Amino acid sequence: MMMEPAKRANLDRIMAAEEELAPSSGFVSAVMERVREEAAAPEPIPFPWKRALPGAVVAVGGLAWLGVEVARQGLNGLPNLGSPVALWAHMPQQMVATLESAGWLAAALGASLLSWLLARRMVGRGGLI
C-alpha cells in the first residue's frame, strides 16, 4: 500500500520528533531480580507416568471386562426384543441397580473431569494434559 507523499512526510516528522522512551527508575532492577528468582527456583516435580500407567491400564481393562460381563449376563437367554426399553424391562432387578450405579459413577467422573478442565482453562493452561 503506497502512502501519499504529504502523509508520509507528516508521519516522518512525527516519528522524528518523538523522544526516546526510557523505563522508570527501578524497573530494570526489579525485572532482573524476578528473572534471577525464576532461574534459581527448582524445577517442578514431574508426574510419575511410569507408575500411573499400569494402574490406568488395569482400570480400563476392568471397565472393559465389566461391560462385556454386563452385556453377556443381560442378553443371555433373552429373545430379540428390538428396542432398548424392552430390554430394560426384562433385566433382573439386581442388574438394573448395578447399571444405575455405574451411570451415577460415570456422571461423577464426567463432572470431575469437566471441573478440572475448567480450572486449567481459567489458570491459562489450555491443553488436556
Side-chain angles (χ1 to χ4, degrees), residues 75 77-84 86-87 90:
L75 299 177
L78 289 178
N80 187 4
L81 299 173
S83 87
L87 176 64
H90 288 86

Short mmCIF file of all heavy atoms in Angstrom, two decimals, residues 75 77-84 86-87 90:
data_model
loop_
_atom_site.label_atom_id
_atom_site.label_comp_id
_atom_site.label_asym_id
_atom_site.label_seq_id
_atom_site.Cartn_x
_atom_site.Cartn_y
_atom_site.Cartn_z
N LEU A 75 -27.96 -60.06 28.25
CA LEU A 75 -28.52 -60.52 26.99
C LEU A 75 -28.64 -62.04 26.89
O LEU A 75 -29.24 -62.55 25.95
CB LEU A 75 -27.66 -60.00 25.82
CG LEU A 75 -27.59 -58.48 25.70
CD1 LEU A 75 -26.65 -58.11 24.57
CD2 LEU A 75 -28.96 -57.89 25.48
N GLY A 77 -30.02 -65.42 27.01
CA GLY A 77 -31.33 -66.05 27.11
C GLY A 77 -32.50 -65.15 26.77
O GLY A 77 -33.65 -65.59 26.82
N LEU A 78 -32.28 -63.89 26.45
CA LEU A 78 -33.38 -63.01 26.09
C LEU A 78 -33.67 -63.11 24.60
O LEU A 78 -32.75 -63.22 23.80
CB LEU A 78 -33.05 -61.55 26.42
CG LEU A 78 -33.01 -61.17 27.89
CD1 LEU A 78 -32.61 -59.71 28.04
CD2 LEU A 78 -34.34 -61.41 28.55
N PRO A 79 -34.93 -63.10 24.21
CA PRO A 79 -35.24 -63.09 22.78
C PRO A 79 -34.87 -61.73 22.18
O PRO A 79 -34.60 -60.77 22.90
CB PRO A 79 -36.76 -63.29 22.75
CG PRO A 79 -37.23 -62.80 24.07
CD PRO A 79 -36.12 -63.08 25.05
N ASN A 80 -34.85 -61.65 20.88
CA ASN A 80 -34.54 -60.40 20.20
C ASN A 80 -35.71 -59.44 20.44
O ASN A 80 -36.77 -59.57 19.82
CB ASN A 80 -34.32 -60.64 18.71
CG ASN A 80 -33.84 -59.40 18.00
OD1 ASN A 80 -33.61 -58.37 18.63
ND2 ASN A 80 -33.70 -59.49 16.70
N LEU A 81 -35.53 -58.48 21.33
CA LEU A 81 -36.62 -57.59 21.72
C LEU A 81 -36.72 -56.36 20.83
O LEU A 81 -37.76 -55.73 20.77
CB LEU A 81 -36.46 -57.18 23.18
CG LEU A 81 -36.49 -58.35 24.17
CD1 LEU A 81 -36.14 -57.88 25.55
CD2 LEU A 81 -37.84 -59.02 24.15
N GLY A 82 -35.65 -55.99 20.19
CA GLY A 82 -35.70 -54.91 19.21
C GLY A 82 -35.56 -53.51 19.75
O GLY A 82 -35.11 -52.63 19.06
N SER A 83 -35.92 -53.22 20.98
CA SER A 83 -35.80 -51.86 21.48
C SER A 83 -35.12 -51.87 22.85
O SER A 83 -35.30 -52.80 23.63
CB SER A 83 -37.18 -51.19 21.58
OG SER A 83 -37.77 -51.46 22.82
N PRO A 84 -34.35 -50.83 23.15
CA PRO A 84 -33.67 -50.78 24.44
C PRO A 84 -34.64 -50.71 25.62
O PRO A 84 -34.34 -51.20 26.70
CB PRO A 84 -32.84 -49.50 24.36
CG PRO A 84 -32.77 -49.15 22.92
CD PRO A 84 -33.97 -49.74 22.27
N ALA A 86 -37.54 -52.26 25.88
CA ALA A 86 -37.99 -53.62 26.16
C ALA A 86 -36.89 -54.42 26.85
O ALA A 86 -37.16 -55.23 27.74
CB ALA A 86 -38.41 -54.31 24.87
N LEU A 87 -35.64 -54.19 26.46
CA LEU A 87 -34.52 -54.88 27.09
C LEU A 87 -34.42 -54.46 28.55
O LEU A 87 -34.23 -55.30 29.43
CB LEU A 87 -33.21 -54.54 26.35
CG LEU A 87 -31.94 -55.12 26.95
CD1 LEU A 87 -31.99 -56.64 26.89
CD2 LEU A 87 -30.72 -54.59 26.23
N HIS A 90 -36.91 -56.24 30.85
CA HIS A 90 -36.69 -57.66 31.09
C HIS A 90 -35.40 -57.95 31.85
O HIS A 90 -35.06 -59.11 32.05
CB HIS A 90 -36.67 -58.43 29.76
CG HIS A 90 -38.03 -58.54 29.16
ND1 HIS A 90 -38.56 -57.56 28.35
CD2 HIS A 90 -38.98 -59.50 29.27
CE1 HIS A 90 -39.76 -57.92 27.97
NE2 HIS A 90 -40.05 -59.09 28.51
#
